[in-house]
Amino acid sequence: MRKDGPISERGDGDHGQRSSAQRVLQAVRRHGPLARVDLGALLEMSPASISSLTSDLLREGFLREVPESGGAEPGRGRGRPKVLIELAPEAACMIAVKLTINRIEVARGDFAGGTGPVTARAFNTLELGADELLAALGDLIAGEIAALPASAGRLMGIGIAVQGLIHGAATIIWSPALSLRHVNIAAPLAARFGLPAIAMNDADCIALAIRQHSELQAIDNLAVVMLGTGVGMGLIIDGKLHAASSGLGAEFGHTKYQIDGPLCHCGRRGCIESFVGDYALYRDARSMLDLPNTDALHPSEEQMQALTDLAESGHPVAVSLFRQAGRALGYGLSNLIALLGPDLILVTGSGVRGFRQMEPAMRQALDEALVDTLRSQTEIRPRAWDEDLTLRGIVLQVLGEARTG
């Protein structure tokens, strides 16, 4: 018999009930507003189970009912709209943080997976010690918490998206943004605020956010390759985000293209990133062209767009650099296809601005490296970078790890 208390207060004996409630919430978060009959079919649950679970979640404020625009529900009479259920954004909130080179961003996330206005601070991140880093993160988080409106709902936790290698959802092993190594940022922040805290690779966050789009729901094996300041990848296998047993992700940008090639930010030579990353393209261009000086780690968007425009106009040096980058990218993708065979590879990130200049050499490299059978099994296409999805992805991860109550 179901206990009278809300789902969020039930004991261990109702683990199955909580688990079922989480499945309902995740399905509605992923697929958008749904009718109960469609939700039941999706989760393979009986109408009675769906009715009981959604009634509890509606009463507790996690879900809300909305009329479907147009169309009537069968058996309810002409003109009466079908009632859908959707997540209630105000049911809970979390703090989302993005740590990248010389910049920390923070925003409030809501229960539906959305994010609010972003607060950003500039830091010389390479000069931060461990205590200074934790203080900078903590102070920005504290400011965001202090600004939460009363309508924001219960504060569920903190998520930090980091450019670099993350171990155990807590420790930064290495990041191009920091000179520090092996720094646990989750535990001190959890202790300071009395909230669950997790850290996660930024490319993994973006892959999670992109996978939420309805047109990708049916694709269980997906690679999202991020081009920009560096080169990263988030990997979805069998519908789940891939992470090695160590907690580290898929470091596509630091696989090798050329032994003894250009120097990479990781300190090694010949990585794919050392040909394709923004800093690599601009570094090599400056050695041959009269271009403005810049932060060696982080050329501006305007500078990268100017370089891309040079290639678009046919400037031989710029064309050659993007062709070289495309070739490195193509051979890297060929290894990914041969090893894992994803159904779809999406190339995105701010660096996708130069994809058109890289694409011919990339596809030529793929044709050279792969037999037709392997080449034909994976679709590769660019995805416009019209929104930074990093914060949304870490919000989704916090929601995925949190319990209903």
Side-chain angles (χ1 to χ4, degrees):
M1 179 180 295
R2 180 170 55 84
K3 294 185 179 181
D4 293 333
I7 291 174
S8 59
E9 295 177 359
R10 294 177 193 168
D12 291 339
D14 287 284
H15 173 76
Q17 185 82 351
R18 288 198 306 273
S19 176
S20 296
Q22 290 287 10
R23 290 182 63 204
V24 168
L25 293 172
Q26 291 287 13
V28 177
R29 182 171 292 116
R30 174 171 288 184
H31 296 278
L34 291 167
R36 288 172 176 80
V37 63
D38 299 325
L39 180 61
L42 184 68
L43 297 177
E44 298 181 340
M45 291 184 180
S46 69
S49 294
I50 288 293
S51 178
S52 173
L53 287 165
T54 55
S55 293
D56 283 343
L57 292 168
L58 283 163
R59 184 175 64 252
E60 295 182 38
F62 293 113
L63 296 176
R64 64 186 183 189
E65 292 185 330
V66 291
E68 183 180 44
S69 57
E73 189 167 5
R76 288 182 173 268
R78 179 175 296 178
R80 184 172 182 179
K82 182 189 292 186
V83 175
L84 307 181
I85 52 174
E86 67 177 11
L87 295 172
E90 68 281 1
C93 66
M94 66 289 305
I95 305 301
V97 183
K98 176 184 175 183
L99 170 61
T100 187
I101 295 173
N102 292 338
R103 184 178 173 91
I104 300 176
E105 299 177 3
V106 62
R108 170 171 59 96
D110 64 43
F111 193 68
T115 55
V118 175
T119 300
R121 287 270 313 271
F123 294 88
N124 188 337
T125 53
L126 284 171
E127 294 185 357
L128 294 177
D131 291 342
E132 294 169 315
L133 173 64
L134 289 166
L137 292 168
D139 290 349
L140 280 169
I141 291 167
E144 193 69 22
I145 291 174
L148 288 175
S151 60
R154 180 176 63 87
L155 187 54
M156 297 176 68
I158 299 165
I160 309 103
V162 182
Q163 185 181 8
L165 304 178
I166 307 299
H167 180 268
T171 300
I172 302 175
I173 301 297
W174 170 84
S175 171
L178 303 170
S179 59
L180 304 169
R181 301 290 185 270
H182 300 278
V183 180
N184 188 318
I185 58 171
L189 292 173
R192 174 172 172 176
F193 295 102
L195 292 166
I198 59 170
M200 185 176 179
N201 173 266
D202 58 349
D204 286 345
C205 292
I206 292 163
L208 271 184
I210 286 177
R211 180 60 166 39
Q212 291 292 115
H213 287 254
S214 58
E215 72 272 15
L216 300 176
Q217 292 297 309
I219 299 176
D220 286 335
N221 298 296
L222 167 70
V224 179
V225 175
M226 291 292 303
L227 307 183
T229 303
V231 176
M233 182 174 71
L235 191 59
I236 305 291
I237 299 178
D238 293 333
K240 298 179 180 179
L241 185 69
H242 166 75
S245 59
S246 64
L248 303 179
E251 288 299 320
F252 173 77
H254 298 290
T255 57
K256 292 293 178 280
Y257 169 62
Q258 179 181 311
I259 301 300
D260 297 326
L263 185 65
C264 180
H265 274 165
C266 70
R268 300 295 185 263
R269 292 187 174 274
C271 300
I272 290 171
E273 182 180 298
S274 69
F275 292 89
V276 183
D278 283 356
Y279 73 89
L281 285 163
Y282 202 82
R283 173 196 63 200
D284 294 345
R286 280 202 72 234
S287 70
M288 294 178 279
L289 298 172
D290 183 19
L291 296 176
N293 196 5
T294 186
D295 177 354
L297 294 177
H298 200 187
S300 69
E301 179 60 29
E302 292 75 17
Q303 289 168 325
M304 289 308 302
Q305 187 59 57
L307 182 58
T308 305
D309 292 343
L310 276 180
E312 183 75 21
S313 68
H315 192 290
V317 171
V319 168
S320 175
L321 288 172
F322 279 97
R323 184 184 297 126
Q324 176 180 254
R327 190 166 180 80
L329 179 61
Y331 270 93
L333 294 178
S334 72
N335 290 331
L336 173 64
I337 292 169
L339 287 169
L340 296 176
D343 302 309
L344 174 64
I345 298 174
L346 291 177
V347 182
T348 189
S350 59
V352 80
R353 72 177 93 74
F355 183 80
R356 188 164 58 179
Q357 284 69 48
M358 297 182 199
E359 186 175 14
M362 180 199 79
R363 296 200 181 275
Q364 181 182 352
L366 285 161
D367 290 340
E368 293 172 0
L370 294 172
V371 297
D372 290 345
T373 303
L374 288 174
R375 176 70 186 87
S376 62
Q377 72 182 7
T378 300
E379 179 186 1
I380 302 171
R381 65 173 187 252
R383 187 184 189 279
W385 187 246
D386 46 16
E387 177 188 5
D388 187 339
L389 297 172
T390 310
L391 289 171
R392 175 167 166 75
I394 194 64
V395 166
L396 292 170
Q397 184 69 4
V398 172
L399 288 167
E401 295 203 359
R403 301 170 78 177
T404 310

